[in-house]
């Protein structure tokens, strides 16, 4: 694992950007990583052009899941929902900058799964 990336990940884990909730939010979605049960919630507020003007995430999980959520929230500010729907997992992995095995991949992509579900307008099941 590259030390520089490891440091960036730890920094996001210890000092998560945009951590919290937005109430009210235009879009909220929450889901878990079925392998471990860790959950992430993402709230979005959109401007009049349907671009993300505020974003917050909450929940808990390992360093990789929290760091990727933190990085992703920074990445999507100003993006449209359509642009969010087109974010690929490669982009998230690029932000993290480390090689991940299949279990850690689920951790890394949890926030993207939540974000995309929200952008596609899915509603949480009660
Ligand atoms: Fe649960 Fe990583 S161990 S999200």
């Amino acid at each position: 694992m590259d030390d520089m990336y490891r440091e960036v990940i730890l920094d996001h884990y210890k000092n998560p950007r945009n951590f919290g909730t937005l109430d009210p939010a235009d879009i909220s979605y929450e889901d878990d990583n079925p392998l471990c049960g860790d959950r992430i919630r993402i709230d979005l507020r959109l401007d009049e052009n349907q671009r993300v003007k505020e974003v917050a995430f909450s929940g808990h999980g390992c360093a990789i899941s929290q760091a990727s959520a933190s990085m992703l929230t920074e990445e999507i500010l100003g993006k449209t929902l359509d642009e969010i729907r087109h974010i690929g997992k490669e982009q998230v992995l690029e932000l993290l900058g480390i090689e991940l095995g299949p279990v850690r991949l689920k951790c890394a992509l949890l926030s993207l799964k939540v974000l995309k579900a929200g952008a596609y307008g899915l509603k949480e099941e009660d």
Side-chain angles (χ1 to χ4, degrees):
M1 199 189 274
D2 186 296
D3 278 353
M4 190 190 80
Y5 282 113
R6 191 198 292 255
E7 265 179 42
V8 173
I9 288 169
L10 279 179
D11 179 51
H12 274 270
Y13 178 53
K14 289 182 186 158
N15 309 293
R17 320 308 194 257
N18 305 305
F19 191 84
T21 54
L22 299 175
D23 186 19
D26 295 310
I27 291 176
S28 295
Y29 197 79
E30 179 175 339
D31 205 351
D32 63 8
N33 177 348
L35 295 184
C36 63
D38 289 336
R39 297 185 75 80
I40 283 183
R41 171 178 200 86
I42 294 182
D43 299 321
L44 302 176
R45 281 189 189 143
L46 306 174
D47 68 13
E48 60 283 3
N49 299 314
Q50 297 296 293
R51 288 182 182 275
V52 176
K53 70 171 178 193
E54 282 178 87
V55 51
F57 82 97
S58 52
H60 62 271
C62 62
I64 298 280
S65 70
Q66 298 290 292
S68 73
S70 172
M71 290 173 176
L72 204 51
T73 60
E74 289 192 313
E75 193 70 12
I76 62 166
L77 273 176
K79 288 204 188 319
T80 63
L81 293 181
D82 199 46
E83 286 168 335
I84 288 175
R85 291 181 198 119
H86 286 91
I87 296 175
K89 63 179 186 180
E90 306 73 26
Q91 271 169 274
V92 177
L93 298 179
E94 210 169 289
L95 289 173
L96 289 168
I98 53 170
E99 293 286 323
L100 295 169
V103 172
R104 284 306 188 181
L105 209 53
K106 291 263 189 211
C107 302
L109 297 175
L110 173 59
S111 52
L112 182 63
K113 176 172 86 163
V114 171
L115 181 65
K116 283 200 170 191
Y120 275 105
L122 297 187
K123 300 284 174 226
E124 291 153 30
E125 291 166 24
D126 293 323

